[in-house]
Amino acid sequence: MSYEAYNDNTLGFTTKQLHAGYNPAEHYRSKAVPVYQTAVFELGDYDRCVRLFSYEEDGFSYARFSNPTNAVLERRITALEGGAAAVSFSSGMAAISNTLLNLARAGDEILAIKTLYGGATTLLRKILPQYGIRGVFVKDEGELRSYEAAITGKTRAVYLESLGNPTITIVDIKGIADIAHRYGIPLVVDNTFATPYLLRPFEYGADIVCYSATKYLGGHGTTIAGLVVEKGGFDWLTLRFPQFKTFYDDCKTAVSEDELKRSLFTRRLRQVYLTDMGAHLSPMSAFNLLQGMETLSLRMERHVENAVRIAEFLAGHPAVQDVSYPALPGNRCHALCRAYFPKGPGAILALRLKGGKSAALKVLETVRIFDYMVNVGDAKSLIVHPASSTHFSVDEKEREAAGIFDDTLRLSIGIEDCDDLIADLRHALEAVR
Ligand code: PLP
């Protein structure tokens, strides 16, 4: 290849999703990214071994730390996101939990919004507290003053989802980032439902972006995976983060100061947490994700087009009580949706029916094209009842505070012919009128 598309940051999103971060000349000119199905790599000689383990030389030694297939995936998401570096994980939950462990130590707090994926809520409310890290929830996530009021000397991050699961809430990311930064605190955004095609949180001040790559990035429901991307430029060397100061001092002889400061978060995430907690992504999974990501922008456009039509159809249906989809003009997040999501607020929506829980369950049983499954972001359309599945482990009161009731259904709109999807829903809704 004479033209180095893999390394050209000026290219458009769709070109990058096909080329960024992979140079075939370094891999026997294989056009597809090779799957390095190996657990270990030859060290060569003693001096090289020492350089690898002291991080003076980039390279591969043991696949749990890193492998070349995953490295391409990490460079590709970094390019799509406009960040400095990324780390891949075996699942979205591994990406989130390792991120939070990298940020907080016993005695610290993570400030979060309430409209989160059930697994993240459980992590913050029940699991991390067992290790002395407290999840603190903002009282009113639509109100910037609420964030400032909840920040304490122990806060180590503000954590939110760009499209909150499952009611698709949107918060003022830029306003929240500004507040967090005034206190020297990073903003972490789970951007799973939006993908970098619809929203790039770094452009609004986020410092870390997490993904369940299982969803739209992979796009076909074949692979569980997670990604963490760092923007670069956040000052970690302050009194709030003594763990980063120690890490920096340990590494500074091996890595240039600029490089180290730009990717301090992801370096520590890899060297401490990925390496020794072990949530490594298999190279075959990384390959599947790279395949999926090649069509991300095209799929997202079709997902959103279908979702807008379906939300409008549902909002006008007499059996439907409420549709949560911020592109609808009456939605409480509509103004934020217009500001942050000019390409549309993704393709997941929540729905409540006038007939309550029994009607919701009847719809679940009646649909024929929508699959009854807990996933989202698949090319195929999916439906689920969050209270009995994705948010099952969240207490009823907390669930309702996050907008999930016994009769809430969540739809993940796929890329099928939209007329077929509408016909399927119309048929199911007729059964509960
Ligand atoms: N974040 C969000 C918004 C999710 O919806 C999910 C899973 O549904 C996760 C994180 C966890 O991802 P994974 O299932 O890949 O561990």
Side-chain angles (χ1 to χ4, degrees), residues 144-163:
L144 287 179
R145 270 173 308 192
S146 256
Y147 294 81
E148 190 145 20
I151 288 175
T152 71
K154 297 174 182 172
T155 311
R156 295 297 175 264
V158 180
Y159 178 79
L160 55 89
E161 287 178 13
S162 52
L163 291 170

Side-chain angles (χ1 to χ4, degrees), residues 398-412:
E398 288 152 14
R399 219 162 49 210
E400 292 192 350
I404 303 154
F405 300 90
D406 267 356
D407 58 350
T408 301
L409 292 174
R410 182 183 74 189
L411 304 184
S412 174

Side-chain angles (χ1 to χ4, degrees), residues 91-94 96 117 159 161 165 190 192-193 211-215 224-226 374 376 410:
S91 70
M93 279 318 300
I96 295 166
Y117 169 58
Y159 178 79
E161 287 178 13
N165 185 349
D190 178 338
T192 297
F193 283 16
Y211 284 103
S212 166
T214 315
K215 317 298 187 212
I224 299 278
V374 287
V376 290
R410 182 183 74 189

Side-chain angles (χ1 to χ4, degrees), residues 75-370:
R75 287 196 294 270
R76 190 152 298 171
I77 190 68
T78 301
L80 293 179
E81 206 65 58
V87 182
S88 51
F89 282 95
S90 56
S91 70
M93 279 318 300
I96 295 166
S97 53
N98 284 276
T99 290
L100 298 184
L101 288 171
N102 200 22
L103 287 163
R105 304 178 312 153
D108 293 342
E109 294 171 355
I110 304 289
L111 180 60
I113 62 172
K114 288 191 199 103
T115 43
L116 296 177
Y117 169 58
T121 305
T122 304
L123 179 71
L124 286 162
R125 285 199 192 272
K126 297 185 178 160
I127 301 171
L128 290 178
Q130 294 176 43
Y131 301 90
I133 300 168
R134 209 161 74 88
V136 175
F137 290 85
V138 176
K139 273 213 178 65
D140 178 357
E141 59 198 46
E143 185 54 69
L144 287 179
R145 270 173 308 192
S146 256
Y147 294 81
E148 190 145 20
I151 288 175
T152 71
K154 297 174 182 172
T155 311
R156 295 297 175 264
V158 180
Y159 178 79
L160 55 89
E161 287 178 13
S162 52
L163 291 170
N165 185 349
T167 50
I168 316 304
T169 33
I170 301 174
V171 292
D172 181 1
I173 300 174
K174 167 92 174 62
I176 298 164
D178 288 347
I179 292 172
H181 292 164
R182 276 210 295 280
Y183 293 87
I185 297 165
L187 175 64
V188 181
V189 175
D190 178 338
N191 200 38
T192 297
F193 283 16
T195 81
Y197 183 65
L198 298 179
L199 179 87
R200 304 207 310 163
F202 295 154
E203 291 170 3
Y204 299 98
D207 303 285
I208 307 293
V209 170
C210 296
Y211 284 103
S212 166
T214 315
K215 317 298 187 212
Y216 290 107
L217 295 180
H220 299 84
T222 61
T223 306
I224 299 278
L227 291 165
V228 180
V229 195
E230 172 176 17
K231 180 183 183 186
F234 184 84
D235 183 8
W236 299 102
L237 302 176
T238 65
L239 291 177
R240 267 191 205 259
F241 298 101
Q243 71 271 38
F244 283 101
K245 174 78 174 87
T246 311
F247 181 77
Y248 179 83
D249 290 341
D250 288 348
C251 295
K252 68 182 175 206
T253 49
V255 185
S256 83
E257 201 175 307
D258 273 3
E259 167 69 25
L260 191 54
K261 282 191 175 155
R262 244 177 88 68
S263 55
L264 196 63
F265 182 86
T266 33
R267 274 179 181 274
R268 187 169 185 274
L269 187 63
R270 183 186 303 283
Q271 287 174 220
V272 177
Y273 288 97
L274 182 66
T275 297
D276 287 330
M277 302 279 271
H280 157 75
L281 180 72
S282 87
M284 192 63 222
S285 295
F287 175 82
N288 289 340
L289 289 184
L290 284 161
Q291 291 280 294
M293 282 161 69
E294 290 197 354
T295 56
L296 178 64
S297 60
L298 308 183
R299 283 185 286 106
M300 291 316 290
E301 278 169 9
R302 175 64 171 249
H303 276 296
V304 170
E305 186 188 314
N306 281 358
V308 169
R309 269 191 70 195
I310 287 175
E312 284 167 356
F313 161 74
L314 291 171
H317 196 283
V320 173
Q321 184 188 317
D322 180 51
V323 182
S324 295
Y325 186 65
L328 293 175
N331 185 279
R332 68 195 161 92
C333 299
H334 187 63
L336 286 167
C337 177
R338 289 172 69 104
Y340 283 97
F341 289 95
K343 292 186 199 140
I348 297 163
L349 51 91
L351 175 69
R352 295 184 73 187
L353 299 177
K354 289 188 180 145
K357 184 176 176 184
S358 60
L361 299 187
K362 181 79 184 162
V363 166
L364 270 184
E365 284 165 10
T366 312
V367 283
R368 292 174 299 191
I369 297 174
F370 280 79

